[in-house]
């Protein structure tokens, strides 16, 4: 089991030093940090990873510690490896995610990545860790193609988990070091055949580096540093081997750019040693003491060799991590550069233009320039429940949980699986249960972030070197729930283990329900999970995104509920064998089968997923949903764009996009569509394309607009679902310089688009069964008038059609939808605004026109299908504003609208619709006389009128309006109403208006 970095923060230092991570492992001398030496696989071990789909979190950022990073020689790409079983490729200097690299994975540690390296030319990415052992009995390094994400080769037969990988500067060799006393191996990169090895090691190795000359240096926890001649036909020849000067446990090592010196960092001391690269003799030690217990284990030289860097925990402002920078290659004065992380620095590397890039255990990564200024920081997307044991509360029925977004229990929030509501400002109500960490009958001691917890003086048996982190005693004193590094445990009152379950991350906080039937735990991967105390069966998982808006909850079989825009946060990971990259399918692609908020709401009350499903199906009068085991049978296609490559410059006009499409389920591909900035520009349908195996390559032509970067997407569909959109961001080509005209006139501005607005507001109804509303008609008129004021400004022409009250009958609304579809060209914008009542029937949403009959909705309501089909056929940019939850429950159960369902249905690449909703979940939308509008429209008009603008930026973008609406509507309604906004990944952020 791989040991997480210490996550016990204090007010002085955000995490214990890296020395604490490794000390226990070093004591046994044969294991990496928490990676137990593994025995050969038994003969019955299956040959190859399981193809059974399983759910995996995907936030766009790692959810587990970043163990290693890599940078190509030109500084264009950063790669990161994590214990969350993914590697990622990022663009530098922007930090934009370019590609997720997914190795085949298995249960437990299988697939955790501890090492990564990118070839100097940036084409290949090598990743390894606890990889391949489950099916091979040995470990593997996966060689990914950086651009496509495909596994090009698998290097097998490695003796232990791979701690570190390094390419030689010329790209001809790849070195790998190992957990346990297995030394180092070097491979030729032309065919990845062995080029040499040294097994004469007395401990694990965590660092290795090549000099410009090709020499290789490797560190080991046996206290020795080894220097090798450049790999050649004679294998790996040892030149020197010396005990480390300055510490007993060398960790990372780095050659100076000229190859004359090398720096060594240690885990058992704050010292850094600079050695001669000729014979490893000591040259000098940079000055400056560190905090007690810290280390400067990660070292790197600046690209010009003038500065020596070393990473440490502690010493920065607020007790965060620091990077120490010494002038004159370590001989001069030093300065400490604070890093915005609350955890351990795990790796630092130089950047070509100066400064360094770093990775952390949070997980996070970033960069500082040569002057010590922060130029990039990408933080974790997970809630952080470290040191929140006392604040981890449960509602009386355990369907609600109070947790924290940030360290020390700060930024608390409350989530209810029944109310489907996340409140980031609520405090737990009276009667909510805090965890009890001990009683007169059960005294739990030595449990807080240490090895060796005790119950009434008796040791509790955990995994080897595993620390206890959190504890809760059952209400009747019958048992103790204990959270640890790698497992969640339940012990009886005598200290005997009743059960344990592998933890998806360190178990940061635990609690037991008031009736003693549920165990609840918060893990370092950001999830909170509910288990049966009786038999450890998992019942529900909940993941709140760090943006404090999106959340998703799911059962073990995959039935889920999600806030708007959150369906991308989890999906099904599917292995494709030991030699191919795995696929990932967001749950949104299976929403018709698995979107079941009713099941999620019932599972904690029934304490049984099967019973919850049965009751929910009976309430809806439907047959049981397909079980999760059949996901493999209904997989959509997979698409990859081969050219143009992401970031490539292209001239405006027609561009041929070359792509590969695969059919994992075997079902033929029936259609392919191409989009530019969310607009459908090409469509091939009525296909019957067989794309088994590695798939087939095809081409499709798109038209790129005149100005600005464009986001090109390709989507393939089969009879089950559309694929995830494959995307490439294309930059406008620079015009060639005209040598005959050294001062050319500037390129004229691109023509402004036209805007068509359909604004519908219904507050008066012909049926006496539908209660009236005061302001929907006024809201629609005000919105249309506001956008009309953008004519000649953001838009060349604005045409509005307003349907208030009596004019908004079903016929006129459908005619209006047909009008906006016909009138909106490819470069134009279409905005549709709905305000009024909505209802559901047979799980389908209907907007109520003025002539609606609630007893005959099929024929008198405007169904969501009609709205969706309209958007699907609009050629231009599409924006929906929807405010139809004002009724709350006044129309009965059918008047409670699942606005999350509406937003997420439209949040698909093939629709290309940006959506603003007035509320979320089952909330009601409010209107008041003193506002003269609904809360949403009041805030919308304020925001588009200039409230959402930023100083010096006259354009009001989608994201800016989203931020403004969220804040303003919460202010107006005292947090009773939360607007939401979603846009598919195929639609880049775009301006809606110019501020007045």
């Amino acid at each position: 089991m791989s040991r997480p970095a210490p996550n016990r923060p204090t007010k002085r230092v955000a995490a214990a030093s890296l020395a604490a991570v490794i000390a226990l492992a070093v004591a046994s001398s044969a294991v990496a940090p928490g990676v137990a030496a593994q025995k050969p696989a038994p003969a019955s071990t299956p040959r190859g990873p399981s193809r059974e789909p399983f759910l995996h979190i995907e936030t766009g950022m790692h959810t587990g510690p970043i163990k290693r990073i890599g940078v190509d020689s030109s500084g264009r790409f950063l790669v990161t490896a994590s214990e969350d079983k993914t590697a990622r490729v990022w663009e530098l200097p922007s930090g934009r995610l370019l590609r997720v690299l997914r190795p085949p994975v298995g249960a437990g540690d299988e697939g955790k990545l501890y090492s990564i390296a990118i070839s100097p030319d940036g084409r290949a990415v090598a990743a390894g860790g606890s990889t391949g052992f489950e099916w091979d009995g040995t470990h593997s390094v996966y060689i990914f193609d950086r651009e496509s994400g495909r596994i090009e080769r698998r290097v097998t037969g490695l003796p232990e988990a791979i701690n570190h990988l390094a390419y030689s500067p010329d790209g001809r060799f790849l070195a790998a070091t190992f957990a346990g006393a297995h030394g180092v191996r070097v491979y030729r990169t032309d065919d990845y055949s062995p080029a040499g090895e040294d097994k004469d090691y007395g401990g694990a190795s965590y660092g290795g580096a090549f000099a410009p000359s090709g020499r290789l240096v490797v560190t080991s926890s046996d206290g020795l540093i080894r220097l090798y001649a450049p790999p050649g036909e004679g294998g790996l020849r040892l030149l020197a081997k010396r005990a480390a000067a300055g510490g007993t446990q060398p960790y990372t090592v780095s050659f100076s750019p000229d190859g004359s010196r090398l720096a060594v960092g240690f885990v058992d001391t704050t010292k850094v040693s600079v050695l001669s690269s000729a014979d490893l003799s000591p040259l000098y030690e940079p000055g400056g003491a560190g905090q007690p217990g810290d280390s400067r284990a990660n070292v790197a030289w600046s690209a010009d060799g003038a500065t020596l860097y070393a990473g440490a925990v502690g010493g920065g402002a607020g007790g965060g991590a620091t990077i120490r920078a010494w002038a004159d290659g370590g001989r001069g004065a030093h300065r400490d550069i604070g890093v915005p992380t609350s955890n351990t620095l795990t790796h630092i590397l130089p950047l070509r233009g100066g400064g360094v890039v770093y990775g952390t255990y949070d997980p996070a990564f970033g960069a500082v320039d040569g002057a010590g200024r922060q130029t990039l920081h990408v933080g974790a997307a997970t809630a952080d429940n470290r040191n929140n044991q006392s604040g981890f509360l449960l509602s009386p029925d355990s369907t609600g949980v109070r947790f924290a977004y940030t360290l020390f229990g700060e930024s608390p929030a409350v989530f209810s699986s029944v109310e489907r509501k996340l409140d980031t400002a609520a405090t737990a109500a009276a009667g909510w249960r805090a965890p009890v960490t001990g009683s007169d009958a059960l005294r739990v001691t030595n449990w807080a972030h240490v090895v060796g917890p005790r119950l009434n003086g008796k040791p509790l048996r955990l995994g080897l070197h595993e620390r206890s982190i959190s504890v809760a005693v059952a209400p009747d004193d019958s048992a103790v729930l204990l959270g640890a590094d790698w497992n969640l445990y339940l012990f009886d009152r005598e200290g005997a283990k009743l059960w344990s379950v592998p933890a998806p991350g360190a178990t940061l906080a635990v609690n037991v329900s008031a009736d003693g039937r549920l165990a609840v735990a918060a893990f370092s991967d950001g999830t909170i999970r509910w288990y049966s105390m009786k038999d450890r069966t998992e019942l529900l998982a909940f993941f709140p995104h760090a943006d404090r808006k999106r959340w998703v909850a799911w059962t073990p079989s995959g039935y889920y509920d999600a806030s708007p825009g959150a369906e991308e946060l989890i999906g099904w990971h599917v292995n494709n064998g030991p030699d191919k990259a795995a696929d990932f399918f967001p749950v949104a692609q299976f929403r018709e089968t698995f979107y079941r908020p009713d099941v999620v709401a019932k599972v904690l009350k029934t304490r049984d997923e099967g019973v919850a499903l049965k009751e929910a199906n009976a309430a809806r009068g439907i047959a049981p949903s397909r079980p999760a085991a059949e996901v493999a049978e209904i997989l959509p296609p997979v698409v990859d764009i081969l050219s143009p490559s992401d970031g490539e410059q292209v001239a405006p006009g027609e561009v041929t996009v070359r792509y590969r499409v695969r059919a994992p389920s075997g079902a033929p591909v029936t259609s392919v569509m191409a989009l530019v900035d969310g607009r459908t520009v090409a469509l091939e349908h009525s296909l019957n394309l067989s794309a088994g195996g590695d798939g087939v390559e095809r081409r499709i032509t798109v038209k790129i607009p005149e100005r600005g970067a464009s986001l090109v997407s390709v989507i393939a569909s089969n009879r089950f679902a559309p694929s995830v959109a494959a995307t490439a961001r294309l930059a406008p080509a620079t015009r060639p310089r005209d040598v005959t005209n050294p001062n050319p006139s500037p390129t004229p501005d691109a023509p402004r688009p036209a805007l068509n607005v359909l604004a519908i507001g219904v507050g008066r109804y012909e049926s006496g069964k539908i209660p009236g509303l005061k302001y929907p008609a006024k809201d629609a008129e005000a919105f249309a008038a506001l956008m009309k004021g953008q004519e000649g400004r953001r838009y060349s022409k604005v045409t509005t059609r307003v349907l208030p009250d009596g004019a908004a009958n079903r016929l006129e609304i459908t005619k209006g939808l047909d009008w906006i579809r016909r009138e909106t060209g490819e470069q134009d914008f279409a905005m549709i605004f709905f305000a009024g009542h909505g209802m559901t029937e047979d799980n389908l949403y209907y907007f109520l026109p003025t002539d609606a009959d609630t007893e005959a909705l099929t024929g008198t309501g405007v169904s969501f299908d009609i709205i969706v089909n309209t958007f699907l056929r609009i050629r231009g940019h599409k924006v929906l504003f929807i405010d139809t939850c004002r009724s709350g429950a006044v129309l009965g159960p059918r008047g409670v609208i699942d606005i999350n369902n509406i937003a997420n249905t439209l949040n698909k690449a093939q629709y290309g619709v940006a959506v603003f909703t007035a509320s979320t979940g089952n909330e009601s939308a409010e209107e008041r006389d003193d506002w003269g509008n609904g809360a949403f429209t009041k805030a919308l008009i304020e925001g588009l009128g200039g409230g959402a603008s930023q100083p010096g930026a006259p354009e009001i973008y989608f994201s800016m309006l989203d931020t403004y609406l969220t804040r303003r509507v919460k202010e107006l309604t005292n947090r009773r109403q939360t607007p939401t906004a979603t846009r598919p990944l195929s639609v880049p952020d775009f301006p809606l208006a110019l501020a007045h």
Side-chain angles (χ1 to χ4, degrees), residues 429-452:
W432 282 49
R433 176 179 169 82
V436 176
T437 58
S439 67
D440 291 340
L442 299 180
R443 293 176 294 102
V444 187
T445 55
N446 202 43
W447 60 265
H449 306 277
V450 293
V451 175

Side-chain angles (χ1 to χ4, degrees), residues 51 102 572-576 581-585 635 638 662 664:
R51 280 189 55 84
R102 299 186 186 276
W572 296 96
H573 174 108
V574 180
N575 290 322
N576 290 311
D583 290 321
F584 180 80
F585 302 92
L635 295 176
V638 176
R662 292 187 288 113

Side-chain angles (χ1 to χ4, degrees), residues 474-498:
D476 61 357
D477 284 345
S478 63
V480 172
L481 183 69
L482 190 141
D485 278 330
W486 314 311
N487 298 279
L488 175 66
Y489 295 92
L490 186 68
F491 297 94
D492 68 14
R493 60 184 299 118
E494 303 301 325
K497 185 171 71 174
L498 297 174

Side-chain angles (χ1 to χ4, degrees), residues 57 59 381 383 399 401 403 405 413-424 526 528 530 540-554 559-570 587 595-598 600-601 898-901 904 919-923 978 980:
I57 301 169
T59 68
T399 63
V401 62
F403 63 97
Y405 277 103
V414 171
F415 172 73
S416 169
S417 63
V418 174
E419 297 178 5
R420 309 176 62 202
K421 184 177 179 64
L422 172 67
D423 194 330
T424 58
I528 296 171
W530 285 255
L540 186 68
F542 164 63
F543 179 83
H545 193 279
D547 63 12
R548 308 186 190 189
K549 295 173 63 176
R550 290 178 291 163
W551 58 265
V552 59
W554 66 96
Y559 302 113
Y560 73 93
D561 191 7
S563 67
E567 286 185 318
E568 306 297 326
L569 294 179
I570 61 166
V587 292
Y595 178 67
R596 295 297 302 270
D598 50 350
V600 170
D898 184 359
I899 200 69
N900 294 1
N901 187 23
N904 283 328
S919 57
T920 186
N922 298 332
E923 290 177 343
T978 307
T980 67

Side-chain angles (χ1 to χ4, degrees), residues 76 127 151 164 187 196 217 219 271 369 373 375 425 434 480 545 680 710 733 857 873 877 912:
R76 297 173 300 164
I151 292 178
H164 188 75
Y187 297 89
V217 66
T219 63
K271 294 181 179 180
D369 65 14
R373 295 171 298 212
T375 59
V480 172
H545 193 279
T680 302
S710 296
L857 278 180
R873 298 168 66 192
H877 304 272

Side-chain angles (χ1 to χ4, degrees), residues 480-558:
V480 172
L481 183 69
L482 190 141
D485 278 330
W486 314 311
N487 298 279
L488 175 66
Y489 295 92
L490 186 68
F491 297 94
D492 68 14
R493 60 184 299 118
E494 303 301 325
K497 185 171 71 174
L498 297 174
W499 53 253
S500 66
V501 292
T507 314
L508 304 178
V510 294
N511 204 339
V512 179
S513 62
D515 62 6
R517 296 175 61 190
L518 292 176
V520 189
F523 298 101
S524 61
D525 70 342
T527 61
I528 296 171
R529 298 173 189 256
W530 285 255
Y531 301 86
S532 167
M533 285 279 281
K534 179 181 179 180
D535 59 9
R536 71 183 177 184
T537 299
E538 184 175 323
L539 297 172
L540 186 68
F542 164 63
F543 179 83
H545 193 279
D547 63 12
R548 308 186 190 189
K549 295 173 63 176
R550 290 178 291 163
W551 58 265
V552 59
W554 66 96
T555 68
S557 294

Side-chain angles (χ1 to χ4, degrees), residues 35-48:
V35 182
Q38 302 185 58
K39 298 178 181 179
S44 60
T45 298
R47 307 304 292 181

Side-chain angles (χ1 to χ4, degrees), residues 193-486:
S193 61
E197 68 175 327
D198 183 359
K199 297 186 290 186
D200 185 19
Y201 277 62
S205 175
Y206 304 100
F210 283 96
S213 65
R215 285 189 172 192
L216 173 66
V217 66
V218 178
T219 63
S220 173
S221 61
D222 64 10
L224 301 177
I225 302 172
R226 293 162 172 84
L227 179 67
Y228 302 93
E233 296 301 324
L236 197 59
R237 183 165 57 90
L238 184 67
L239 297 178
K241 179 169 65 174
R242 300 178 73 113
T248 62
Q249 302 194 10
Y251 192 66
T252 63
V253 63
S254 176
F255 277 101
S256 61
D258 64 3
S260 64
R261 294 164 292 170
L262 56 92
V264 183
F266 302 87
V267 298
D268 62 324
T269 177
T270 60
K271 294 181 179 180
V272 172
S273 289
V274 178
L275 312 178
S276 167
S277 63
D279 58 4
L280 303 182
S281 59
L283 295 178
Y284 54 90
E285 289 182 359
Q291 296 285 352
D294 287 342
S295 68
R296 303 198 182 278
N298 296 286
V299 294
W301 299 84
S302 62
D304 60 5
T307 305
L308 178 60
Y309 295 95
V313 174
T322 62
I323 297 175
R324 178 158 291 187
W326 288 275
D328 192 18
R331 294 186 180 91
H334 71 267
R335 68 183 189 279
D336 284 338
I337 303 166
V339 176
T341 176
S342 61
N343 218 314
T344 304
L345 285 167
T346 55
H347 203 188
I348 59 175
L349 290 173
L351 288 172
R352 183 178 181 180
V356 292
V357 63
Y358 58 83
T360 82
Y361 238 97
D362 290 73
F365 69 85
V368 295
D369 65 14
R373 295 171 298 212
Q374 192 81 39
T375 59
L376 173 67
H377 185 78
V378 177
T382 54
D384 188 348
N385 277 286
R386 285 179 294 161
N387 275 50
N388 187 40
Q389 174 68 22
S390 61
F392 188 60
L393 311 182
L394 296 178
S395 64
D397 65 357
S398 301
T399 63
V401 62
R402 181 186 185 271
F403 63 97
Y405 277 103
T406 56
L407 197 59
F408 299 113
E410 298 175 0
S411 303
V414 171
F415 172 73
S416 169
S417 63
V418 174
E419 297 178 5
R420 309 176 62 202
K421 184 177 179 64
L422 172 67
D423 194 330
T424 58
T427 57
W432 282 49
R433 176 179 169 82
V436 176
T437 58
S439 67
D440 291 340
L442 299 180
R443 293 176 294 102
V444 187
T445 55
N446 202 43
W447 60 265
H449 306 277
V450 293
V451 175
R454 292 176 175 267
L455 175 60
N456 293 334
K458 180 180 179 179
L460 296 176
R461 296 177 63 85
L462 308 186
L464 182 65
H465 305 319
E466 188 175 19
R467 294 173 309 142
S468 169
I469 300 174
S470 50
V471 69
V473 174
D476 61 357
D477 284 345
S478 63
V480 172
L481 183 69
L482 190 141
D485 278 330
W486 314 311

